[in-house]
């Protein structure tokens, strides 16, 4: 029985969260603790971290000691932590955390190539661990060393790499690339994967070969919704994977249609309705609004309903009745709107968004600096 | 928007009086000093307050002085009430169901600065579009006398501001704020010189450039690492091979050297050995010689050490001996002589006789005939012989006795000598020797030899002393032999590690030189290896950062994109807005002039239709002959018409759809009849859209008003306290068209 997790990225920085950065970082540690508790509660035998436990090869001493304490907790209960250095916390540097600090009770697979699998005995059964530590381009050749060796028992592999064909393949780096057929060829009972941050179960002919547990706490906005770790029940030749939710907070990307909003307050109400305390939301505002929205004010109004709120403004003001009314005026405003109209008509679709934004900017300021005639 | 009601309490000459008005044309008439102007002035007094509070204070009365007005619109009404003396204002806005939409109460002094006043004025602006007294009087409040606008001073600027649309929104401020935000993003100024300080975009781009450098550095580092890795690999191999070579070479050279060394050693040993051997030989020789000498010396009979008196003794002995010898010699000679005396060779004779007999016998036997002859012969022959012999015999005997006699003498001498000899013997014994005579003689003889020998012996002995101890030499020799044997063994045991034969000692330095060079190269290679390994580790470190660099790069790129977009948006906004503002600015006066022209055409029934307006608000009119003349050149009436048109245009501009009431205080005095008629026509037409309040004493107007169903308020009945209860009905959309 294994708790398989990866890509925890402890101590990652979040400069875009401003004041909430500290709290967010703490979330990651909370998730780590949750993972440990899950491991203890489910009485797993191995706690496998398939790479990127830390976000950098030089995490702070506080982070390191928390991890050490956590792993020791596991070790004291007879759960063996198995660590694999990844791409972020790589072991290649001489001052890497894995070289400088120990993790007592844990097995660290830091060889560049698997000469011989690490044997251990788990609940009376022999288990062989296969894993090599990422060392930049040198690791591409090490893939071949994961092939199964002789020996009775369970052969468990750990790999921090990129699967060709995965949905994340296109927009992530391709370190240590491999394919599913290659993985199958190794003939291991289960491969604990890491590097890609979304849960993915890899099967072939009904048999579970490997899985990416994904990041247990979402780091960036593409890692939305629930995050998981994998509880794997492993027998020679067969593996069953159960995914367990682990995240402390939720990241989401949503779109909100604010069509018809006539003033800022209405918009704010609509936005606040989406709020939740543990939600980090990237909200795309869309629709044709009837009043120019001052995003800064809007954010200030709504931000306390969320843990973190980001706007992407795609509302359209130009096609609103409001704009049409102004267009007819013989005033500067009217002239401005007429100019904008001419420009809009000539603009390509790509430039339209820009033009809309410019239009909004000006009208917001009109409202801010003057009065609106009704 | 119309003025519905005007309530006065102790305002000027009025006690408590309420005036009501209707849509369309209203005429307030009455003789001079009836209070028309006061009434008219009440309106701005309520709205804006009065500076000179004494002006409207009731004559001779104390207490309050308040005025209120009610304005109505399609769906709301606004009531403004002011205590003229304290400037406390109440403004209430109600909707058509009489619900309060807005309520203001506060102090709004005409020249105050409080925020209450600001709010009040903001509400005025919102509701009427006019919040300032001078603007009010320049527009819808056609005050007494001339309609002329004084375009100078602050009013001109204000009017321009109003006209240019800056009243409701300060576009300059908007542009400023856009510019500010623009330049917060970037320092590049597309409309002029760039700013000096770097802004967000530049900073981000700089950071990106840095990051890119670092990225390229890591990429280079990666390449370098790969190359290094290879180099390290090859270098290690080379070093391995080199070291093997070196070891071999070293071993070989060591062997060679050892061989040579051994050989040298052997040589030297051998030489040593030879020397030792030679020495031993020499020693042996010398020893032998010594022994020989000793033997010889011993052979001399003399003792090794010759005692002191010996030579003398020996000399004496010699002498004696010599004597003896001489004696002996003599004796010998005598004896010799004696002996020489041949013995009668009796036998000879006998022999001969025998022989002869024999012969005879023989012959006899042989030839018996000859027996006698032969016997005779024999006898004959023998006789001489026997004679001879006898003669000889006698001589000899005589000789002999002589000799004997001599001999005796000699004997006596000899005995003497013997006696001396025995004496010498004693002396010898004293010396511890008891040599025999022979020995003595021998000694004597050998004395010289002995001396020689001794000398030689001494030589030899001294030579021997110089040379080493024979024993030691022997041991040495043994050792050397053993060593040589060992050496020989060793040389056999270690075969040449190279196929090649042994290097000659001349080649050896060269070979050593080569080896040393190889060793140096190896050391250099090892150092290089160390440096390379260190560099490798450093590069690995740099590369580990590449992950962070990439993430940060992404973040920065996103930020750059966002900034660029914002910049473009703001740039576009500025472009449009400033374009609109410029266009408007450059044309508002024209627009306004066009408006004025339209109004003028209306007022003058087409006589004049075009007006030009300068920046300082001076008008020019196209006069006869199609040339533009300044307005002053024209008649009063025309000027008034123009100003009327101006005010109208201004009012329309300010009201912007609100259709504010127009207040005219006897403005048409200067118009001639036809002009007046035209003007009134215009007013009536206007009254369709704008409520018009005319204040005049002109009876013609009164008559006209009566016939045209204007709403007339007469100030004759000033004392009438009746509240305006008449005609509250809505006169919606009543048009008085002529």
């Amino acid at each position: 029985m294994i708790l398989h997790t990866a890509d925890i990225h402890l101590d990652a920085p979040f400069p875009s969260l401003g004041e909430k950065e500290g709290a967010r970082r703490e979330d990651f540690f909370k998730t780590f603790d949750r993972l440990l508790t899950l491991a203890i509660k489910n009485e797993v035998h191995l706690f496998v971290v398939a790479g990127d436990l830390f976000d950098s090869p030089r995490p702070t001493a506080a982070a390191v000691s928390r991890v050490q304490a956590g792993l020791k907790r596991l070790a004291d209960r007879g759960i063996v932590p198995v660590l694999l250095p990844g791409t972020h916390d790589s072991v290649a540097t001489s001052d890497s955390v894995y070289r400088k600090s120990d993790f007592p009770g844990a097995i660290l697979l830091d060889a560049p190539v698997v000469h011989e699998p690490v044997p251990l005995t788990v609940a009376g059964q022999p288990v062989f661990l296969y894993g090599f530590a990422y060392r930049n381009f040198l690791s591409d050749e090490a893939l071949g060393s994961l092939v199964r060796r002789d020996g009775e028992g369970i052969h468990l592999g750990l790999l921090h790499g990129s699967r060709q064909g995965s949905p994340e393949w296109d927009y992530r780096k391709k370190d240590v690339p491999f394919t599913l057929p290659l993985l199958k060829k190794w003939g291991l009972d289960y491969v604990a994967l890491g590097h890609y941050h979304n849960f993915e179960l890899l099967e072939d002919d009904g048999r579970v070969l490997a899985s990416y547990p994904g990041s247990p706490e979402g780091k960036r906005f593409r890692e939305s919704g629930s995050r998981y770790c994998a509880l794997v029940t492993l027998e020679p030749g067969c593996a069953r994977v159960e995914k367990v939710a682990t995240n402390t907070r939720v990241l989401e990307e949503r779109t909100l249609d604010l069509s018809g909003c006539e003033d800022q307050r209405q918009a704010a109400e609509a936005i606040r309705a989406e709020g939740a305390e543990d939600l980090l939301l990237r909200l795309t505002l869309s629709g044709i609004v009837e009043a120019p929205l001052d995003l800064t004010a809007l954010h200030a109004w709504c931000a306390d309903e969320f843990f973190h709120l980001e706007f992407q403004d795609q509302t359209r003001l130009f096609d609103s009745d409001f704009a049409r009314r102004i267009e007819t005026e013989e005033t500067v405003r009217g002239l401005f709107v007429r100019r904008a109209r001419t420009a809009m008509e000539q603009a390509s679709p790509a430039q339209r968004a820009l033009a809309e934004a410019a239009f909004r900017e000006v009208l917001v300021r009109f409202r801010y600096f003057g009065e609106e005639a009704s | 928007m119309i003025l519905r009601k005007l309530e006065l309490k102790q305002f000027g000459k009025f006690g408590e009086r309420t005036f009501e008005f209707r849509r369309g044309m209203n005429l307030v008439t009455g003789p001079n000093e009836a209070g028309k102007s006061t009434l008219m002035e009440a309106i701005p007094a309520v709205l804006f307050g009065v500076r000179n509070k004494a002006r409207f204070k009731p004559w001779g009365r104390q207490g309050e002085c308040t005025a209120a007005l009610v304005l109505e619109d399609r769906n709301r009404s606004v009531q403004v009430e002011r205590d003229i003396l304290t400037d406390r204002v109440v403004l209430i806005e109600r909707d058509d169901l009489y619900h309060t939409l807005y309520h203001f109460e506060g102090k709004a002094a005409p020249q105050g600065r409080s925020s209450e006043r600001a709010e009040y004025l903001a509400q005025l602006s919102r509701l009427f579009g006019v919040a300032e007294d001078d603007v009010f009087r320049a527009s819808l409040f056609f005050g007494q006398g001339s309609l002329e606008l004084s375009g100078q001073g602050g009013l001109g600027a204000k009017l321009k501001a109003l006209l240019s649309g800056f009243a409701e929104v300060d576009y300059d401020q908007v542009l400023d704020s856009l510019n500010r935000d623009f330049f917060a993003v970037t320092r590049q100024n597309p409309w002029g010189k760039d700013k000096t300080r770097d802004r967000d975009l530049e900073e981000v781009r700089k950071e990106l450039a840095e990051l890119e450098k670092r990225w390229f550095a890591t990429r280079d580092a990666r390449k370098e690492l790969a190359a290094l890795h290879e180099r390290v690999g090859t270098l290690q191999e080379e070093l391995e091979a080199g070291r093997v070579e070196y070891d071999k070479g070293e071993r070989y050279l060591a062997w060679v050297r050892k061989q040579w060394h051994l050989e040298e050693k052997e040589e030297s040993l051998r030489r040593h050995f030879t020397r030792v051997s030679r020495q031993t030989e020499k020693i042996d020789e010398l020893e032998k010689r010594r022994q020989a000498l000793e033997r010889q010396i011993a052979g001399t009979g003399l003792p090794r050490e010759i005692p002191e008196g010996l030579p003398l003794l020996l000399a004496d002995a010699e002498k004696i001996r010599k004597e003896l010898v001489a004696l002996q010699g003599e004796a010998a000679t005598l004896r010799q002589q004696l002996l020489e005396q041949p013995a009668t060779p009796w036998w000879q004779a006998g022999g001969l006789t025998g022989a002869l007999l024999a012969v005879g016998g023989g012959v006899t036997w042989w030839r018996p005939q000859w027996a006698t002859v032969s016997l005779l012969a024999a006898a004959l022959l023998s006789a001489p012989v026997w004679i001879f012999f006898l003669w000889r015999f006698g001589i000899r005997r005589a000789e002999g006795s002589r000799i004997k006699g001599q001999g005796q003498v000699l004997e006596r001498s000899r005995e003497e000598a013997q006696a001396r000899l025995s004496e010498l013997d004693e002396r010898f014994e004293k010396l511890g020797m008891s040599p025999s005579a022979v020995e003595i003689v021998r000694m004597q003889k050998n004395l010289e030899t002995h001396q020689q020998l001794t000398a030689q012996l001494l030589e030899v002995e001294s030579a021997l002393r110089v040379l080493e101890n024979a024993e030691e030499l022997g041991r040495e020799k043994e050792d050397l032999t053993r060593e040589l044997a060992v050496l020989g063994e060793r040389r056999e045991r270690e075969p040449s590690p190279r196929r090649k034969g042994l290097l000659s000692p001349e080649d050896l330095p060269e070979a050593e030189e080569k080896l040393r060079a190889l060793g140096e190269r190896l050391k250099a290679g090892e150092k290089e290896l160390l440096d390379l390994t260190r560099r490798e580790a450093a590069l690995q470190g740099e590369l580990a950062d590449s992950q962070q660099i990439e993430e940060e790069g992404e973040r920065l790129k996103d930020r750059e994109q966002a900034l660029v977009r914002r910049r473009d948006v703001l740039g576009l906004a500025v472009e449009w807005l400033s374009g609109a503002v410029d266009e408007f600015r450059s044309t508002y006066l024209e627009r306004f002039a066009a408006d004025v022209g339209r109004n003028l055409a209306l007022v003058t029934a087409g006589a004049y239709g075009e007006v030009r307006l300068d920046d300082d608000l001076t008008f020019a009119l196209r006069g006869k002959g199609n040339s533009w003349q300044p307005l002053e050149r024209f008649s009063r009436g025309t000027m008034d018409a123009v100003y009327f048109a101006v005010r109208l245009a201004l009012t329309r501009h300010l009201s912007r759809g609100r259709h504010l009431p127009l207040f005219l205080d006897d403005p048409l005095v200067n118009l001639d009849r036809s002009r007046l008629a035209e003007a009134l026509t215009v007013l009536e037409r206007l009254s369709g859209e704008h409520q018009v309040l005319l204040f005049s004493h002109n009876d013609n107007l009164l008559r006209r008003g009566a016939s045209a169903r204007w709403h007339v308020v007469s100030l004759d009945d000033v004392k009438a306290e009746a509240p305006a209860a008449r005609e509250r009905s809505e006169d919606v959309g009543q048009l008085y068209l002529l």
Side-chain angles (χ1 to χ4, degrees):
Chain A
M1 182 77 154
I2 297 174
L3 188 135
H4 168 204
T5 181
D7 299 297
I8 305 179
H9 287 285
L10 289 174
D11 237 15
F14 294 97
S16 56
L17 293 181
E19 292 171 342
K20 298 270 180 74
E21 184 182 2
R24 187 81 189 117
R25 280 177 147 183
E26 193 51 38
D27 287 343
F28 276 73
F29 284 103
K30 281 206 202 113
T31 303
F32 179 68
D33 283 335
R34 188 168 302 127
L35 286 167
L36 296 175
T37 317
L38 270 174
I40 294 173
K41 266 211 320 217
N42 285 288
E43 288 172 9
V44 303
H45 301 106
L46 293 178
F47 181 85
V48 171
V49 182
D52 284 355
L53 169 62
F54 297 101
D55 190 64
S56 101
R58 307 178 193 97
T60 56
V64 175
S65 44
R66 282 173 89 157
V67 168
Q68 281 171 331
L71 294 181
K72 185 154 185 314
R73 248 174 74 201
L74 292 181
D76 286 343
R77 283 179 172 68
I79 304 175
V80 180
V82 180
L83 303 179
L84 182 73
T87 46
H88 276 75
D89 54 354
S90 108
V91 78
T93 54
S94 53
D95 58 350
S96 155
V97 60
Y98 295 113
R99 285 195 215 237
K100 280 201 309 187
S101 325
D102 295 312
F103 296 94
I107 297 181
L108 177 68
L109 299 173
D110 61 356
V113 146
V114 179
H115 297 292
E116 281 299 321
V118 175
L120 38 126
T121 310
V122 166
Q125 230 191 1
V127 173
F128 297 94
L129 297 174
Y130 295 72
F132 61 86
Y134 173 72
R135 267 178 178 72
N136 299 316
F137 53 87
L138 295 171
S139 296
D140 290 345
E141 304 142 11
L143 280 173
S145 71
L146 284 177
V147 75
R148 187 193 186 107
R149 316 277 202 280
D150 290 328
E152 276 291 321
I154 295 179
H155 294 252
L156 171 66
L158 283 78
L159 177 60
H160 190 87
S162 321
R163 181 177 86 82
Q164 211 166 349
S166 160
E168 289 189 55
W169 174 258
D170 293 319
Y171 56 82
R172 273 191 148 261
K173 281 175 64 222
K174 301 165 181 37
D175 298 304
V176 194
F178 67 94
T179 58
L180 195 55
L182 179 63
L183 188 141
K184 193 166 166 204
K185 255 201 282 183
W186 296 331
L188 299 166
D189 293 316
Y190 177 76
V191 182
L193 293 170
H195 192 49
Y196 283 161
H197 288 189
N198 284 320
F199 184 87
E200 193 184 357
L201 192 60
L202 298 177
E203 293 180 297
D204 181 79
D205 274 343
R207 182 184 153 195
V208 171
L209 290 176
S211 78
Y212 279 106
S215 48
E217 181 74 27
K219 189 177 165 192
R220 298 230 197 89
F221 273 107
R222 271 196 282 265
E223 301 161 34
S224 303
S226 281
R227 315 304 305 161
Y228 306 101
C229 70
L231 273 179
V232 185
T233 319
L234 197 52
E235 278 150 41
C238 157
R240 277 195 312 282
V241 170
E242 180 196 335
K243 70 183 194 193
V244 181
T246 56
N247 50 317
T248 305
R249 282 190 221 271
V250 180
L251 278 89
E252 275 196 39
E253 292 182 272
R254 294 187 204 153
T255 307
L256 182 62
D257 191 331
L258 290 175
S259 288
C261 263
E262 279 174 9
D263 63 11
Q264 202 126 304
R265 207 172 316 149
Q266 276 186 11
E269 293 299 315
I271 293 170
R272 283 168 77 97
E274 301 271 334
E277 199 194 318
D278 59 353
L279 182 60
L280 285 90
L281 184 61
R282 176 176 279 178
L283 190 60
T284 305
L285 305 170
S286 69
I288 300 179
V289 292
E290 293 294 331
L293 297 174
D294 183 351
L295 287 179
T296 329
L298 201 59
H299 188 271
W301 231 334
C302 305
D304 56 344
E305 287 288 320
F306 302 83
F307 181 79
H308 170 76
L309 178 63
E310 267 176 34
F311 285 139
Q312 287 194 334
D313 191 356
Q314 288 179 4
T315 55
R316 298 199 332 266
L317 187 59
F318 193 71
D319 294 321
S320 64
D321 293 333
F322 169 76
R324 267 183 262 268
R325 274 199 305 261
I326 304 178
E327 198 171 349
T328 55
E329 289 174 2
E330 273 300 323
T331 54
V332 177
R333 279 201 318 186
L335 272 183
F336 169 75
V337 175
R338 291 201 282 277
R339 269 184 176 239
R341 169 138 338 260
T342 335
M344 286 276 207
E345 275 162 13
Q346 293 170 353
S348 65
Q351 293 168 322
R352 273 208 70 126
L354 209 64
E356 274 279 357
F359 190 71
R360 279 201 298 271
E361 279 288 338
V362 173
L363 285 182
V364 163
R365 283 157 217 264
F366 280 0
R367 174 159 285 197
Y368 184 74
F369 283 107
E371 303 261 24
E372 189 203 292
S374 50
Chain B
M1 187 159 268
I2 64 166
L3 176 68
R4 181 53 88 180
K5 212 164 34 165
L6 185 59
E7 280 177 18
L8 301 172
K9 278 203 190 100
Q10 278 86 46
F11 188 87
K13 60 159 59 98
F14 299 99
E16 237 182 83
R17 187 74 192 265
T18 303
F19 298 91
E20 283 196 18
F21 303 97
R22 291 194 205 149
R23 289 182 190 282
M25 290 292 287
N26 295 257
L27 181 62
V28 176
T29 186
N32 287 338
E33 300 301 322
K36 289 195 303 300
S37 300
T38 312
L39 193 58
M40 193 157 150
E41 284 291 325
I43 297 162
V46 169
L47 289 176
F48 305 112
V50 290
R51 283 190 218 147
N52 181 5
K53 307 224 186 317
R55 189 167 161 201
F56 297 110
K57 246 174 95 162
W59 298 338
R61 260 181 268 193
Q62 300 303 314
E64 55 177 22
C65 167
T66 62
L69 49 79
V70 174
L71 292 148
E72 261 179 32
D73 198 347
R74 194 190 320 276
N75 44 17
R76 63 176 163 199
S77 68
V78 180
Q79 176 182 338
V80 183
E81 197 179 311
R82 184 187 281 259
D83 181 330
I84 302 294
L85 299 175
T86 62
D87 280 320
R88 275 208 78 77
V89 178
V90 175
L91 186 152
I92 306 174
E93 180 189 354
R94 296 198 183 87
D95 68 2
D96 47 2
L97 296 173
Y98 225 65
H99 296 138
T100 305
L101 291 174
Y102 178 79
H103 182 109
F104 171 85
E105 204 170 320
K107 186 162 162 169
Q111 282 180 313
R113 288 230 181 281
S114 64
S115 53
E116 279 180 332
R117 176 177 179 270
E119 194 187 335
Y120 171 70
L121 291 179
Q123 294 307 316
L124 283 186
S125 186
R126 176 175 71 89
L127 293 165
F128 313 129
V130 178
E132 286 163 277
D133 198 22
D134 44 8
V135 173
F136 186 75
R137 285 170 198 278
S139 59
L140 47 92
F141 194 80
F142 293 48
Q144 186 140 74
S146 146
L147 291 170
E148 186 174 329
L149 274 176
S150 54
Q152 287 76 26
L155 180 60
K158 256 190 245 177
L159 289 177
K160 278 201 329 207
L162 287 171
L163 290 173
S164 63
F166 274 53
E168 75 281 3
V169 179
D170 191 343
Y171 291 106
D172 277 337
Q173 269 197 311
V174 173
L175 275 174
D176 271 348
S177 110
L178 283 170
N179 269 320
R180 237 179 301 130
D181 286 354
F182 183 91
F183 290 118
V185 170
T186 176
R187 68 178 263 240
Q188 285 180 315
N189 185 352
W191 311 295
K193 233 165 67 103
D194 287 347
K195 306 278 176 188
T196 48
R197 227 171 16 98
D198 276 340
R199 307 300 157 93
D200 278 353
L201 187 61
E202 282 81 32
E203 297 282 329
V204 167
R205 284 200 172 139
K206 264 201 274 188
E207 274 180 56
L208 261 178
E210 276 294 318
L211 213 59
E212 215 178 44
K213 257 193 274 167
R214 279 173 68 196
W215 167 241
F216 279 124
T218 54
R219 218 184 42 162
D220 293 341
R222 215 176 268 258
K223 275 196 247 158
E224 203 187 324
L225 192 63
L228 253 188
H229 200 66
E230 261 190 59
R231 175 110 188 81
V232 163
T234 42
L235 194 58
Q236 272 177 341
E237 280 178 15
E238 274 178 24
L239 279 178
E240 266 303 308
R243 254 183 243 119
V244 166
E245 274 286 317
Y246 186 81
D247 283 344
K248 274 208 306 198
E250 216 181 25
R251 257 180 297 140
Y252 175 68
L253 281 183
W255 179 83
V256 165
R257 255 184 262 115
K258 200 155 56 152
Q259 293 303 102
W260 281 113
H261 180 69
L262 284 179
E263 202 157 294
E264 263 177 43
K265 208 165 161 202
E266 203 177 337
E267 270 290 312
S268 84
L269 277 179
R270 259 191 229 289
R271 263 180 279 138
H272 206 55
F273 187 78
T274 337
R275 190 173 62 84
V276 167
S277 305
R278 258 188 277 133
Q279 282 212 347
T280 329
E281 277 175 18
K282 231 174 12 180
I283 288 178
D284 280 347
E285 226 181 81
L286 284 174
E287 192 66 39
K288 269 194 239 153
R289 252 186 84 185
R290 193 177 71 143
Q291 280 175 10
L293 280 173
E294 277 191 348
R295 261 197 315 253
Q296 282 183 6
I297 287 177
T300 57
L302 287 164
R304 258 320 312 279
E305 291 295 319
I306 296 190
E308 221 181 279
L310 194 63
L312 194 60
L313 261 186
L314 286 177
D316 281 346
E318 177 77 9
K319 213 169 45 180
I320 297 173
R321 201 184 56 83
K322 273 204 176 113
E323 274 184 36
L324 274 178
V325 163
L327 287 176
Q328 204 97 329
E330 284 182 22
T333 332
L334 283 180
R335 228 178 293 131
Q336 189 67 29
Q337 283 178 351
L338 202 66
L339 286 174
E340 269 182 354
Q341 283 192 309
T344 320
W346 297 111
W347 59 273
Q348 264 188 338
L352 263 172
T353 318
L356 286 171
L357 287 168
V359 170
V363 170
T364 318
W365 189 80
W366 196 41
R367 310 228 153 159
Q369 57 287 21
W370 303 351
T372 16
V373 170
S374 79
L375 276 160
L376 244 135
L380 261 159
L381 273 167
S382 341
V385 168
W386 280 100
I387 302 164
F388 182 64
F389 267 118
L390 284 163
W391 178 67
R392 267 315 272 289
F393 184 71
I395 296 170
R396 265 195 216 130
R397 260 275 310 257
E399 192 70 22
S401 44
R402 188 189 39 94
I403 289 168
K404 268 186 195 131
Q406 264 180 355
Q408 270 171 6
V409 169
L410 281 174
E411 190 68 35
R412 249 183 281 130
S413 317
R414 212 170 63 97
E415 272 168 21
E416 234 179 71
Q418 278 298 50
R420 286 216 316 266
L421 264 180
S422 46
E423 192 196 2
L424 282 176
D425 271 345
E426 276 173 29
R427 280 166 68 187
F428 269 117
E429 265 170 41
K430 264 199 242 154
L431 291 174
M433 296 185 344
S434 51
S436 66
V438 176
E439 284 170 359
I440 293 172
V441 169
R442 207 167 54 181
M443 278 200 281
Q444 180 64 20
K445 268 203 216 149
N446 289 337
L447 191 62
E448 221 185 284
T449 355
H450 186 279
Q451 278 173 352
Q452 282 178 3
L453 285 178
T454 327
Q456 281 182 9
L457 190 63
L458 277 172
E459 265 180 43
V460 167
E461 279 189 340
S462 63
L464 271 177
R465 262 199 301 279
V466 165
L467 295 175
E468 293 159 35
N469 193 338
E471 233 180 77
E472 276 179 26
L473 279 179
R475 252 183 286 126
E476 232 179 283
K477 198 157 166 202
E478 260 181 48
D479 291 337
L480 287 173
T481 332
R482 231 180 318 125
E483 277 182 41
L484 277 172
V486 165
L487 269 177
E489 232 182 80
R490 276 167 68 181
R491 278 182 76 166
E492 267 183 32
R493 248 189 311 135
E494 295 179 16
S496 164
R498 280 233 191 124
R499 300 270 160 248
K500 288 197 264 177
L502 202 57
L503 276 178
S504 66
E506 301 85 48
D507 293 340
L508 199 58
E510 194 187 308
E512 286 191 327
E513 191 51 45
K514 272 205 280 192
L515 190 70
R516 209 182 49 78
L518 179 61
E520 300 262 295
R521 279 206 303 279
L522 280 180
K523 261 210 217 59
E526 278 173 359
K527 185 169 174 315
E528 196 186 334
L529 189 65
L530 189 63
D531 287 339
L532 288 179
T533 338
R534 248 186 256 134
R535 178 111 190 86
E536 212 178 347
L539 281 177
Q540 293 273 26
E542 272 179 48
L543 279 178
D545 283 338
S546 72
Q547 198 74 29
Q548 271 74 14
I549 291 176
E550 279 184 25
E551 286 197 357
E552 193 169 333
E554 268 178 38
R555 195 180 60 81
L556 282 175
K557 281 215 188 79
D558 282 344
R559 183 150 168 67
E560 191 199 9
Q561 264 187 355
L563 284 173
V564 165
R565 192 164 184 283
R566 184 152 173 74
R567 179 197 64 181
D568 290 343
V569 162
L570 289 170
L572 200 56
V574 167
E575 201 186 299
W576 288 349
L577 185 59
S578 51
V581 166
D582 286 343
E583 193 185 325
F584 196 83
R585 269 198 192 137
S586 63
T587 58
Y588 81 95
L589 285 177
E590 284 163 29
R591 264 181 256 261
F592 188 64
D595 266 347
V596 171
R598 272 196 293 278
N599 290 335
L600 188 61
L602 205 62
V603 168
T604 60
Y608 295 100
E610 275 176 74
V611 168
R612 245 197 2 216
L613 196 53
D614 285 340
D615 225 28
D616 53 359
L617 289 186
T618 54
F619 290 89
L621 200 56
R622 198 199 283 275
K624 312 203 164 50
N626 265 349
S627 61
W628 291 93
Q629 310 282 344
L631 195 56
E632 293 73 35
R633 296 268 181 88
F634 293 84
S635 69
R636 184 84 240 166
T638 312
M639 278 165 62
D640 275 351
V642 170
Y643 287 131
F644 186 82
V646 169
R647 279 166 178 266
L648 204 55
L650 198 54
T651 308
R652 286 207 153 152
H653 184 89
L654 289 172
S655 66
R656 225 181 315 132
R658 267 170 268 176
H659 297 291
L660 296 174
L662 302 171
F663 305 92
L664 295 96
D665 190 357
D666 225 351
L668 308 169
V669 285
N670 289 325
L671 294 176
D672 62 22
R673 269 189 62 171
S674 59
R675 285 279 170 85
L676 184 61
E678 281 160 20
L680 286 172
T681 315
V682 169
L683 281 176
E684 279 168 346
R685 198 174 297 142
L686 274 179
S687 69
E689 288 175 354
H690 296 256
Q691 182 194 42
V692 174
L693 275 84
L694 268 180
F695 294 74
S696 178
H697 64 282
N698 193 332
D699 287 333
N700 287 335
L701 287 179
L702 186 58
R703 269 197 293 276
R704 176 77 175 263
S707 67
R709 310 282 294 265
W710 294 358
H711 175 73
V712 177
V713 173
S714 175
L715 288 179
D716 288 331
D717 32 298
V718 155
K719 290 293 191 301
E721 300 272 319
R726 38 191 162 148
E727 280 144 357
R728 270 189 212 269
S729 62
E730 299 281 332
D731 297 330
V732 178
Q734 198 175 10
L735 294 171
Y736 290 96
L737 293 170
L738 284 170

